[in-house]
Amino acid sequence: MSGPRRLLVLLLLHSTLTQVITFVLRPAATYRAIELDVPAAWLGALTACFAVVPLLLAVPAGQATDRFGERRVILLGSLLMLLAGAVFLVAPASALGLIAGTAVLGTAHLFCVVGQQAAVANTAGPGTFDTAFGYYTFAASLGQAIGPGLIILAGGGQSIPDTTALFVIATALGAVLVVSALPIRVPRRPRATGADGAAGLRSLLRIPGLLRALVISCVVLAAVDITLVYLPALGADRRLAAGFIGLLLTLRALASMTSRLLLGRLARRFGRRRLMIASVTLSAVAMAAIGLPLPGWATAVLVVLLGLGLGVGQPLTMSWLAETAPAGLRGRAMSLRLTGNRLGQVVIPSAVGLVAAGVGAAGVLGATALALGAVAAAARGLRTDGPPPAET
């Protein structure tokens, strides 16, 4: 196997494992919170905890990636992921214990994905960014599909699964993640001129359309987070089996995998801007309809449509940034995007958590749909290059 191909395989494996662990621990934390009778408004705060510390560390993580290399950052994130599982296991059974575990998990996830995304951006060739990030996010969606599926193994027939078993599974997978990070070797790239400190960030902020793209990215990611937290809450409200909710989360991830696997072709066929508008609009409509009292099969169909739409926004903004940012600043470009994402993960779930206190989980999904509709309209003003060049 050639060096670049071997690196890609290792990055995809690491990305998949990262998301498996994250998508086991986060629903498990929600179910543990329900076990502890944590109020619905606190679920939004629990979601925001995933992003608070990473919000402060995102830009330094990007700077560290550009300076010290992707491998070291990925390895640090892997060790923190193992620690997160351990915190959930040994922390006191309280809201504060869940907050501590979620904060460590969010930090671990940040370091892993910054290193992974910078490695993909620095190894993909010109004109291949859409396909490369489509494959990368496909691997992430694969992990997001496997993670909730493990809920079934821990008591999917019950409304509340065995959360301790889920924490044990995630901790064991954290050890595997650390081992999988060891053989990753990313060729060093020359640093961009003026790439140090604030100068590098200023050059990134001057990229036309950057802020609009960051807003779109953060709202789409927050919508994924909200489904991860409030679909279980909706199921608990309606006395749906945990296994069915796990199935819905898996279907959403599988649908996102499909759209991401085809992203390169779709972007060349329709252009990035039109594809972004259509996908976010589809997500908004599906999200609004999921909160309605519908039969199980209809909800499943809507979740599939939601996954197809939500799967496109993240890789499109990644590939756009990779193509416009200088090679020596791509770690910081990805971290800047993640800063916006984490800000959205703090503000948006906290806001919808207040909504939940009055209208419940279904109202949260409706409010999130409105936010998606707003950024779909904003995407009309996003200036992109049209269809990317054909790959060679």
Side-chain angles (χ1 to χ4, degrees):
M1 185 181 297
S2 65
R5 186 178 296 274
R6 178 176 180 274
L7 173 60
L8 177 62
V9 169
L10 289 172
L11 287 171
L12 296 184
L13 172 63
H14 196 273
S15 174
T16 300
L17 285 172
T18 299
Q19 299 301 330
V20 169
I21 297 168
T22 303
F23 275 65
V24 168
L25 286 177
R26 298 197 68 193
T30 298
Y31 280 119
R32 176 62 64 86
I34 293 171
E35 285 179 329
L36 299 173
D37 294 324
V38 173
W42 275 83
L43 292 178
L46 183 62
T47 304
C49 286
F50 181 76
V52 170
V53 176
L55 177 61
L56 302 175
L57 294 179
V59 172
Q63 292 173 334
T65 301
D66 289 332
R67 182 174 181 181
F68 300 112
E70 296 88 345
R71 179 179 183 271
R72 293 180 181 179
V73 173
I74 289 172
L75 184 57
L76 175 59
S78 303
L79 291 169
L80 288 172
M81 192 72 73
L82 174 60
L83 177 62
V87 170
F88 278 113
L89 273 176
V90 304
S94 65
L96 289 178
L98 294 175
I99 286 173
T102 302
V104 176
L105 177 64
T107 305
H109 185 267
L110 167 72
F111 280 100
C112 285
V113 299
V114 166
Q116 293 162 2
Q117 292 173 15
V120 173
N122 284 325
T123 55
T128 67
F129 289 115
D130 289 311
T131 297
F133 279 106
Y135 287 156
Y136 167 73
T137 51
F138 169 85
S141 292
L142 178 61
Q144 293 169 11
I146 295 171
L150 295 177
I151 295 174
I152 299 173
L153 299 178
Q158 309 168 32
S159 60
I160 304 293
D162 184 348
T163 52
T164 300
L166 290 173
F167 293 151
V168 170
I169 291 170
T171 303
L173 290 174
V176 177
L177 183 72
V178 173
V179 173
S180 72
L182 295 175
I184 293 176
R185 296 287 189 277
V186 182
R188 293 296 294 156
R189 303 283 171 170
R191 298 179 64 189
T193 303
D196 290 328
L201 289 177
R202 284 196 299 269
S203 67
L204 289 174
L205 291 172
R206 286 195 293 266
I207 297 175
L210 176 70
L211 293 181
R212 189 182 295 265
L214 294 182
V215 170
I216 295 168
S217 178
C218 82
V219 172
V220 170
L221 183 60
V224 174
D225 275 8
I226 286 166
T227 62
L228 188 62
V229 172
Y230 283 97
L231 274 182
L234 184 69
D237 287 346
R238 298 179 179 175
R239 300 186 182 278
L240 300 175
F244 179 67
I245 298 301
L247 174 63
L248 291 181
L249 292 173
T250 300
L251 286 174
R252 186 209 61 77
L254 290 172
S256 293
M257 288 167 60
T258 301
S259 59
R260 289 170 171 180
L261 190 62
L262 301 174
L263 182 66
R265 295 178 183 178
L266 292 172
R268 289 193 299 274
R269 175 68 177 82
F270 299 106
R272 285 185 186 141
R273 187 170 71 91
R274 283 188 291 176
L275 183 58
M276 181 74 79
I277 294 169
S279 65
V280 178
T281 300
L282 176 63
S283 302
V285 173
M287 180 78 80
I290 287 170
L292 300 175
L294 298 171
W297 66 266
T299 302
V301 170
L302 289 169
V303 166
V304 169
L305 295 175
L306 177 66
L308 288 171
L310 291 178
V312 170
Q314 297 300 308
L316 274 186
T317 53
M318 290 179 200
S319 63
W320 182 77
L321 273 176
E323 212 161 49
T324 55
L329 291 174
R330 284 175 179 153
R332 259 161 284 195
M334 297 302 164
S335 70
L336 193 61
R337 173 186 161 275
L338 286 168
T339 299
N341 285 353
R342 292 299 186 261
L343 181 60
Q345 286 176 300
V346 171
V347 174
I348 296 174
S350 297
V352 299
L354 297 176
V355 173
V359 297
V364 168
L365 298 177
T368 307
L370 291 176
L372 287 168
V375 296
R380 294 171 61 88
L382 184 63
R383 294 292 178 260
T384 64
D385 55 357
E391 298 178 25
T392 58

